[in-house]
Amino acid sequence: MVTASSTALPAAAVSRLHRTVIDWYRANARDLPWRTADASPWAVMVSEFMLQQTPVKRVLPAYAAWLERWPTPAALAADAPGEAVRMWGRLGYPRRALRLHAAATAITEEHGGEVPTDHAQLLALPGVGEYTAAAVASFAFRQRHAVLDTNVRRVFARAVTGVEYPAQATTAAERRTAVELLPAREETAATWAVAVMELGALVCTARGPECGACPLRAECAWQRAGCPPYEGPARRGQTYEGTDRQVRGKLLAVLRDAHGEVEQARLDEVWHEPVQRARALDGLVADGLVEPVGPGVYRLPV
DNA sequence: AAGCCGTGGCT
DNA sequence: TAGCCAAGGCT
């Protein structure tokens, strides 16, 4: 049985778990471009930024186009942040484009143009949080880190804790579990990290998990408990229609497509309600996504 | 620390 | 169909 307590879990059982998941991964992993041997650390970092809350399928073409245009951090840093926002297209959460540009600038100016290998230095980069720092260190540099994303958290919630979904925010107990289950060898730990994530993405999915195809079926605590449905507090649905986010999206779409300065009147067309429209535009300016050029004239940041 | 920040595919 | 959800980060 998979358990959260390291003392209760024999080392042999943990090793068997590692082997099971890694063997499954070797047989079932998707062929993704950021996983190939020639994917640079920068390429891995670009993929991780794009994959923050955006599905793989939509990232694939954007990733290829981005790296063709900016194959190195220095290449991106030499271009205007607005170009990064434009290239980001409709991936969503465009502040990520700005942060990726800022990270490229920091890498160029403070790390000699090379993505830092040190976890703490990665974490210090704009847009790099707990997950992304561990992911880049693990995937690009084959280091030993607990990589806790939504997929891994769900796999652990089920297989280890026996509940359908993890809590809303990552807990200390989850981090403990992740660290305890980490293989000792760096190389094995790096493969384990991507393998558990892939299991969560392909089999142990949020809805309609394919437990019949799961290599952990026999040892899964959730399975053993009879797959009890989620009982926690209702997870807040993300409403979108009519929100500032929607208005921001419409405004930015106009600016992206304009390739230059845009008159206020063209922005006014995207939303009928003037107060919300102004608030959204102010927010974009405050975030650095939009630059006021003169009275009633705007553009993407230069 | 709860809420904000885009967009579109999938069931 | 309309929610639900997606390799999070920041404040």
Side-chain angles (χ1 to χ4, degrees):
Chain A
M1 155 169 189
V2 181
T3 142
S5 164
S6 60
T7 54
L9 192 58
V14 177
S15 296
R16 197 159 50 242
L17 177 67
H18 295 156
R19 205 159 46 243
T20 300
V21 175
I22 289 174
D23 285 349
W24 173 87
Y25 177 75
R26 297 199 189 290
N28 297 281
R30 287 168 294 180
D31 194 13
L32 299 173
W34 44 85
R35 287 182 185 160
T36 62
D38 66 327
S40 66
W42 168 242
V44 172
M45 177 171 281
V46 168
S47 78
E48 290 305 333
F49 269 74
M50 291 184 170
L51 288 165
Q52 291 169 1
Q53 299 286 280
T54 301
V56 167
K57 179 174 183 177
R58 291 175 49 212
V59 164
L60 286 169
Y63 168 86
W66 189 281
L67 285 174
E68 181 169 351
R69 179 166 179 183
W70 298 305
T72 64
L76 176 57
D79 230 323
E83 285 307 299
V85 173
R86 179 171 287 115
M87 198 68 178
W88 198 255
R90 305 190 65 82
L91 281 182
Y93 292 143
R95 293 191 292 193
R96 291 182 292 164
L98 229 39
R99 292 174 185 150
L100 183 51
H101 183 275
T105 301
I107 290 168
T108 303
E109 294 178 351
E110 300 166 24
H111 300 285
E114 300 292 332
V115 175
T117 62
D118 181 65
H119 180 275
Q121 293 185 336
L122 286 166
L123 192 56
L125 294 171
V128 177
E130 179 182 349
Y131 162 75
T132 302
V136 172
S138 178
F139 303 158
F141 301 120
R142 311 300 295 172
Q143 294 173 15
R144 181 176 181 272
H145 295 281
V147 182
L148 261 186
D149 79 319
T150 186
N151 291 302
V152 175
R153 294 184 61 219
R154 190 174 52 249
V155 171
F156 288 169
R158 291 175 182 162
V160 178
T161 313
V163 298
E164 186 176 18
Y165 297 123
Q168 203 163 349
T170 305
T171 64
E174 289 181 85
R175 294 192 180 89
R176 219 177 301 126
T177 297
V179 169
E180 286 171 357
L181 291 180
L182 214 47
R185 280 188 61 236
E186 274 205 307
E187 178 60 29
T188 309
T191 303
W192 160 257
V194 71
V196 179
M197 194 176 308
E198 190 77 339
L199 184 64
L202 297 183
V203 175
C204 193
T205 52
R207 282 180 301 180
E210 300 182 54
C211 298
C214 184
L216 298 182
R217 183 184 181 91
E219 29 200 341
C220 176
W222 187 53
Q223 190 70 219
R224 182 178 301 101
C227 303
Y230 176 75
E231 283 185 356
R235 290 172 295 168
R236 189 181 74 265
Q238 355 175 10
T239 54
Y240 183 64
E241 204 64 27
T243 61
D244 286 7
R245 288 155 86 170
Q246 183 184 26
V247 184
R248 287 166 57 107
K250 288 177 178 294
L251 290 170
L252 205 56
V254 171
L255 286 148
R256 266 200 316 263
D257 298 342
H259 288 270
E261 300 182 353
V262 172
E263 299 285 334
Q264 179 83 51
R266 295 187 50 198
L267 296 175
D268 289 348
E269 293 171 12
V270 307
W271 198 252
H272 52 92
E273 210 289 298
V275 173
Q276 186 178 27
R277 195 176 61 220
R279 186 173 64 234
L281 184 55
D282 283 350
L284 288 171
V285 172
D287 287 347
L289 284 163
V290 174
E291 212 168 68
V293 187
V297 183
Y298 299 89
R299 68 183 175 202
L300 295 184
V302 175

